[in-house]
Amino acid sequence: MEPDPRQGYGRGGIAMIRIEFQRLRFLVVDDNQHMRRIVRQLLHGFGSREIYEAEDGASGLEAFNGHNPDIVITDWAMPILDGLELTQMIRKPDANANPYVPIIMLSGHSEKSRVVQARDAGVTEFLAKPIAAKALYERVLSVVLNPRPFIRTQTFFGPDRRRNVNPNYSGVERRKGSEDAEIIPVAPLDSRVVHGSKSHELGAKASVG
Amino acid sequence: MKRKPVPSEAVSETSFPDHTVIVPPNRLKHAINREGPSTAIATDALFRAEAALEDMKIEFAGWMNQECEVLESAREILKVKGPAPALMQKLFRAAMDVKGQAALFGYPLAAQIAGSLCLLISDAPNPLRIPTAIIDRHVDSIRAVVREGVRQYDDRTGNEIHLRLAEMVKEFLSGEIDSSAAEIAALIEVRAPKL
């Protein structure tokens, strides 16, 4: 009898890579109480037991400095300090303990221009609402298993905005570097994912770094 | 190109003429449990989360009503006190909440209509000039969709209303934005009803 994939093992009982969510501390920042409840429920389902919440960007920044979370999940449109401003505050080098913290922006905005704007503010991953368990799971997997290097320029500090280095790219190169520039390798997310069911396809699309 | 020495758990920096690449220590690796040589990723946590979300569905109808009340309240305050940036922002955030959650709560058409209202507010050069009537039509349509329990994307009446609202937004923005009609049309995605 095949092992039940819901127990976390694939065909033939092959042991897997498992994210120990109970070891991760999350900060959820959203001015909507229902959304905070939904994200909390999903994170609990994943196995997380340490989840802090804030209902606007200002208290989110306070919670970030006070609780030192491993991952921040933030909305965009919020009063006082919105998600972009919160991200920019967190990303200020030397301004706080961990400017490299993964920030997942969860937003009702879905237009490409908005995604680019979020990325340019220093967001690590962008997730458009309505939220789905699988999409959130993929984003968390991505930041845990495939952390990206950071880039600092005169006008930007944040995760490398390029997911792939494409040798065939022939467009504008904003980052000139030098001809001898070295590609800094970061361990890629394993593309060989054993799916618990056919409906769950993880990994390759979201996480190549 | 300069490379600084890399002590364990230190930040590694590599400088280039116009940028620096920084590889911080992976603070999250303690949460990775490699149970064996396989590189497959366990998904049982995902199953549990999906089940947990399924358990919450019983509350979604009530939550949708609450989101409508917040949206209507923001609209009323705007009407009573007159257009003001802070009040328009409040209405925008309420509409964004409906846009972002209504589909999950089972009202995808309400999400589409809220999206149209968000587009109107975010793309108008001066949102304070938006006619109250257009805002009212959007808010009232969202409430009607929820009240009537319209849960399908392809509901004929609902989509006719959505199309009409999109035309109103397009017409208003055309008069306010110095853009071609094609650019404005590209801004507005309208789901064609299945008649």
Side-chain angles (χ1 to χ4, degrees):
Chain A
M1 187 169 99
E2 278 194 8
D4 184 353
R6 283 168 173 75
Q7 299 304 314
Y9 290 85
R11 297 187 183 86
I14 299 171
M16 297 181 168
I17 296 174
R18 181 180 302 283
I19 304 300
E20 304 287 359
F21 279 85
Q22 71 276 13
R23 296 181 185 170
L24 294 174
R25 180 183 300 159
F26 289 87
L27 171 62
V28 178
V29 189
D30 198 309
D31 60 329
N32 187 282
Q33 58 171 336
H34 300 142
M35 186 50 60
R36 290 198 307 273
R37 174 112 180 257
I38 290 167
V39 174
R40 173 180 279 274
Q41 185 85 341
L42 289 174
L43 293 176
H44 266 146
F46 293 154
S48 177
R49 291 296 174 260
E50 204 172 354
I51 302 166
Y52 296 94
E53 294 181 20
E55 57 185 31
D56 60 68
S59 54
L61 186 62
E62 197 179 320
F64 173 76
N65 288 322
H67 298 299
N68 196 16
D70 296 310
I71 297 173
V72 176
I73 299 172
T74 181
D75 188 15
W76 184 323
M78 294 184 291
I80 305 175
L81 207 67
D82 69 19
L84 283 200
E85 291 163 332
L86 172 64
T87 298
Q88 288 161 342
M89 297 291 284
I90 289 174
R91 291 287 185 236
K92 277 189 179 174
D94 306 321
N96 54 66
N98 185 17
Y100 309 109
V101 67
I103 298 175
I104 299 173
M105 176 155 280
L106 177 59
S107 173
H109 290 305
S110 55
E111 304 85 357
K112 185 179 175 185
S113 61
R114 296 285 190 172
V115 178
V116 169
Q117 198 180 352
R119 184 199 65 181
D120 289 347
V123 161
T124 313
E125 296 283 348
F126 189 94
L127 188 50
K129 293 176 182 175
I131 192 171
K134 175 167 161 285
L136 180 59
Y137 191 65
E138 287 178 344
R139 297 303 186 281
V140 175
L141 283 187
S142 180
V143 303
V144 173
L145 294 176
N146 192 27
R148 282 185 272 160
F150 271 59
I151 304 298
R152 181 171 61 227
T153 69
Q154 284 191 339
T155 55
F156 174 76
F157 176 76
D160 189 347
R161 291 170 285 190
R162 301 180 304 183
R163 284 197 183 276
N164 299 294
V165 177
N166 183 356
N168 298 318
Y169 176 67
S170 60
V172 172
E173 178 58 71
R174 293 190 296 179
R175 190 199 308 171
K176 300 187 189 68
S178 74
E179 287 187 4
D180 298 328
E182 180 180 348
I183 303 300
I184 309 296
V186 175
L189 177 65
D190 299 296
S191 58
R192 288 168 294 163
V193 175
V194 172
H195 308 308
S197 78
K198 288 181 184 175
S199 64
H200 297 109
E201 295 181 0
L202 300 173
K205 180 181 155 190
S207 309
V208 174
Chain B
M1 181 177 90
K2 300 174 190 174
R3 183 184 287 278
K4 293 183 181 178
V6 184
S8 61
E9 299 302 321
V11 172
S12 160
E13 294 193 13
T14 306
S15 296
F16 297 91
D18 63 347
H19 70 280
T20 301
V21 179
I22 303 164
V23 181
N26 185 359
R27 292 170 42 141
L28 306 187
K29 63 183 178 186
H30 67 285
I32 302 172
N33 184 359
R34 297 183 187 272
E35 297 174 341
S38 169
T39 56
I41 298 175
T43 56
D44 52 315
L46 175 55
F47 286 121
R48 288 195 304 270
E50 287 178 333
L53 193 59
E54 193 67 27
D55 289 343
M56 291 186 95
K57 282 189 176 175
I58 194 169
E59 303 198 60
F60 286 173
W63 288 1
M64 189 68 229
N65 269 313
Q66 289 173 17
E67 296 298 339
C68 287
E69 284 167 10
V70 172
L71 183 64
E72 287 166 333
S73 172
R75 184 263 305 265
E76 287 308 310
I77 293 174
L78 197 63
K79 268 184 170 175
V80 167
K81 296 194 173 180
L87 298 180
M88 189 60 76
Q89 272 300 308
K90 201 164 181 183
L91 178 71
F92 178 75
R93 286 197 299 271
M96 279 291 290
D97 283 344
V98 174
K99 179 187 175 190
Q101 298 179 100
L104 176 65
F105 293 167
Y107 301 92
L109 202 48
Q112 293 277 328
I113 296 170
S116 172
L117 179 56
C118 290
L119 179 79
L120 173 66
I121 297 172
S122 65
D123 283 33
N126 183 358
L128 303 186
R129 286 172 48 83
I130 297 173
T132 307
I134 302 182
I135 294 175
D136 279 343
R137 291 285 293 270
H138 279 83
V139 174
D140 293 342
S141 297
I142 290 168
R143 174 52 92 182
V145 162
V146 174
R147 185 183 57 238
E148 300 300 319
V150 178
R151 291 177 176 269
Q152 302 82 24
Y153 257 127
D154 56 0
D155 178 83
R156 181 178 177 139
T157 305
N159 273 284
E160 284 176 359
I161 293 171
H162 179 213
L163 271 173
R164 178 66 193 118
L165 290 171
E167 285 300 319
M168 291 172 73
V169 169
K170 183 177 161 184
E171 197 177 316
F172 173 76
L173 290 179
S174 297
E176 299 284 304
I177 299 175
D178 185 24
S179 301
S180 67
E183 288 174 9
I184 294 169
L187 287 173
I188 303 170
E189 285 181 23
V190 176
R191 179 180 291 269
K194 292 180 185 176
L195 299 176

